[in-house]
Amino acid sequence: MSEIEAETIGLAIGTDARPRSRVATPRQVLAIVSVGICLANLDLFIVNVGLPNIAQEFRGASLEDLSWILNGYAIVYAALLVFFGRLAERHSRNLSFLLGVALFTAASAACALAPNVEVLVAARIAQAAGAALMTPTSIGLLLASFPPDQRAGAVRTWTAIGGLAAALGPLAGGVLVTFDWRWIFIVNVPIGVVALIVGWLKLPEVPGHDVPRPSSWAALLVTCGIGALTLAIVKANDWGWSSRGTVLGFAIAAVALAAFAWHCLKSKNPFVDPALFKVRPFTGATFVMAPYSAAFGAMLLSVALWEQTVWGWSALKAGLAIAPGPLLVPFTSLLFARRLIARFGAAAVVSAGIAAFAGGLAIWATLLGGDPDMPAFVVGMMLTGIGVGLTFPTLMGVGAGALPPSSFATGSGVINMIRQAALAIGVAIFVAILATPVSMTERIAAFHRGWWIMIAITIAGFVPNYLFIRRKADR
């Protein structure tokens, strides 16, 4: 993230932090709020690795049911990120952040104690609500604590810490699942409790602003729309694509999302301001982010399932094999993406990221079979990691950086909302592709088919990248 982008966040959020007794230094604030992004990002990978072990305990649960452990989190996080971000602008940022940490910590404990899949999904939804509150308020606290000339570096550090947490997720998940899958949630509890105590004592007070309250009705509409669409895709194989349940699911999704769009177009206080999409780079970043994130979500699910259900690897071995990919994300984004953008332009870097990610999937689709092939798997994993490191931060920078300062926070939230919603849809599509194969040969063929479909979805991002980002840069 550039210094200009970081400064626009500060302008959008506000910077009048009022000191408290024994208030934390800026670096201490960075350390405290980084706990929030660590908890949210760690769970992104750690749960994927633990999914096969969860399936072994809840033997009556199908892959479709288990997918909601991932999708429930992604959908609610997507729907509430903008809502909570705007709502938190009205209230104290430090208290809102602590509330998010408390909710996430309590929900993690509930996940660890879940007696069945239904309770686990409900607890994951509560986790998502906590994460959706932690993320925007942590940025607000961070930028209110640092002087303008140091904000860019603080944001880059915050982002890198989150990337490192995601990178450690597969390895941490593999180790914890060796004892019991419930430990992947228990580990959040002491971290969250320490963050609450230290945050309560040390975080500066950052007051809210008199801004319009976001529409709860719009948040409900987008949640129902994405949820119904995901449910219809996941259950289509069981119910039949022309069954009443599937058709009804798609119909509810269409009506809810159309009503959400109507609200955004006609409301005086729209949940998502349509004027954002008049900015071509923002529109391009959003249209590239959607298919790329769908493929990314499918990839996260597929690698853990492939290693453990096709090759029969342990969760620890699977985590070790997955780790090189996410480890390369912060390395690539921090050390190479910015320099490449300065030399070749954002569109070229996004194109390289799309090609690298699709190349990793292509290696798996052509080379992986029933016999374990660690080199091919790791090379594919590394290519996907490089692709994500080049693409995601570049799109965030292009999209948000093109907006005026007053729209930066909202625009960033919209891009992240679309990203999380697409993750859920990508998982749903891959689950529908896998279905319930009878033989190992059918299972392998289903994975290969899924990866080829995700390649097609990924490279679809070349079109908006050229139409909106490249052409804008050429002018």
Side-chain angles (χ1 to χ4, degrees):
M1 181 175 289
S2 68
E3 293 183 7
I4 294 176
E5 293 163 10
E7 188 166 346
T8 56
I9 301 180
L11 291 170
I13 294 178
T15 59
D16 60 345
R18 294 178 303 188
R20 302 171 63 181
S21 60
R22 297 176 296 168
V23 72
T25 66
R27 292 188 180 278
Q28 289 173 335
V29 172
L30 172 61
I32 295 169
V33 301
S34 291
V35 172
I37 195 67
C38 282
L39 289 173
N41 282 2
L42 190 66
D43 266 33
L44 183 65
F45 282 90
I46 204 170
V47 175
N48 279 277
V49 174
L51 205 61
N53 294 76
I54 297 173
Q56 290 178 6
E57 180 166 337
F58 301 139
R59 295 186 181 277
S62 65
L63 178 59
E64 289 83 358
D65 297 329
L66 292 169
S67 69
W68 286 99
I69 299 172
L70 306 176
N71 283 343
Y73 184 96
I75 292 169
V76 173
Y77 184 84
L80 294 183
L81 186 63
V82 173
F83 179 73
F84 279 172
R86 291 181 56 192
L87 193 64
E89 290 179 357
R90 298 167 53 91
H91 304 283
S92 170
R93 308 298 165 78
N94 53 303
L95 294 180
S96 298
F97 173 76
L98 293 174
L99 178 60
V101 174
L103 178 56
F104 190 94
T105 303
S108 296
C111 288
L113 298 172
N116 52 51
V117 173
E118 291 75 18
V119 174
L120 180 54
V121 170
R124 286 281 287 167
I125 289 173
Q127 264 193 326
L133 187 54
M134 285 191 298
T135 303
T137 51
S138 65
I139 280 285
L141 284 165
L142 184 68
L143 295 170
S145 301
F146 279 84
D149 61 331
Q150 296 180 24
R151 287 178 190 149
V155 171
R156 284 196 296 270
T157 302
W158 180 83
T159 304
I161 291 172
L164 181 61
L168 294 176
L171 182 57
V175 172
L176 294 171
V177 167
T178 302
F179 299 99
D180 192 309
W181 66 263
R182 296 178 188 275
W183 277 98
I184 65 179
F185 298 110
I186 293 173
V187 71
N188 294 331
V189 177
I191 298 173
V193 169
V194 171
L196 282 171
I197 295 173
V198 176
W200 177 261
L201 295 174
K202 303 289 287 184
L203 282 177
E205 293 182 11
V206 181
H209 303 283
D210 186 17
V211 295
R213 179 186 177 88
S215 171
S216 302
W217 174 244
L220 180 62
L221 283 174
V222 71
T223 304
C224 290
I226 299 170
L229 176 61
T230 305
L231 177 65
I233 295 171
V234 167
K235 288 294 186 180
N237 285 319
D238 285 345
W239 294 346
W241 285 92
S242 59
S243 68
R244 181 180 300 177
T246 303
V247 173
L248 181 62
F250 283 122
I252 292 174
V255 171
L257 293 176
F260 175 75
W262 179 262
H263 155 83
C264 293
L265 290 170
K266 298 298 182 180
S267 174
K268 294 181 179 180
N269 179 32
F271 196 82
V272 174
D273 188 352
L276 294 173
F277 293 93
K278 294 180 180 179
V279 181
R280 290 180 62 84
F282 177 86
T283 302
T286 302
F287 286 173
V288 176
M289 184 70 79
Y292 199 94
S293 297
F296 178 67
M299 183 274 292
L300 288 182
L301 174 66
S302 69
V303 291
L305 291 179
W306 175 272
E307 290 176 308
Q308 295 180 71
T309 63
V310 176
W311 287 347
W313 286 1
S314 67
L316 178 57
K317 188 173 182 179
L320 287 169
I322 292 171
L327 275 172
L328 281 172
V329 174
F331 180 80
T332 303
S333 62
L334 291 176
L335 295 184
F336 294 103
R338 186 177 181 181
R339 297 176 183 177
L340 292 172
I341 292 170
R343 183 169 182 178
F344 300 105
V349 174
V350 171
S351 294
I354 291 173
F357 189 90
L361 296 179
I363 287 176
W364 296 339
T366 54
L367 298 181
L368 297 189
D371 297 324
D373 187 347
M374 177 70 86
F377 181 85
V378 171
V379 170
M381 199 73 239
M382 292 175 69
L383 281 173
T384 61
I386 292 170
V388 171
L390 291 175
T391 307
F392 275 154
T394 304
L395 291 175
M396 289 297 297
V398 167
L403 297 174
S406 59
S407 301
F408 186 92
T410 302
S412 298
V414 170
I415 294 177
N416 276 311
M417 179 181 75
I418 291 171
R419 173 185 174 182
Q420 292 295 326
L423 283 172
I425 293 171
V427 168
I429 292 172
F430 208 90
V431 168
I433 294 169
L434 290 183
T436 53
V438 177
S439 66
M440 183 57 69
T441 301
E442 292 178 351
R443 175 175 288 273
I444 292 172
F447 271 98
H448 288 170
R449 183 166 57 252
W451 284 326
W452 282 118
I453 291 174
M454 289 306 133
I455 289 170
I457 291 175
T458 302
I459 63 178
F462 279 124
V463 176
N465 182 47
Y466 176 78
L467 292 177
F468 293 97
I469 300 176
R470 180 178 175 82
R471 287 190 174 182
K472 177 67 176 180
D474 288 344
R475 291 179 180 177

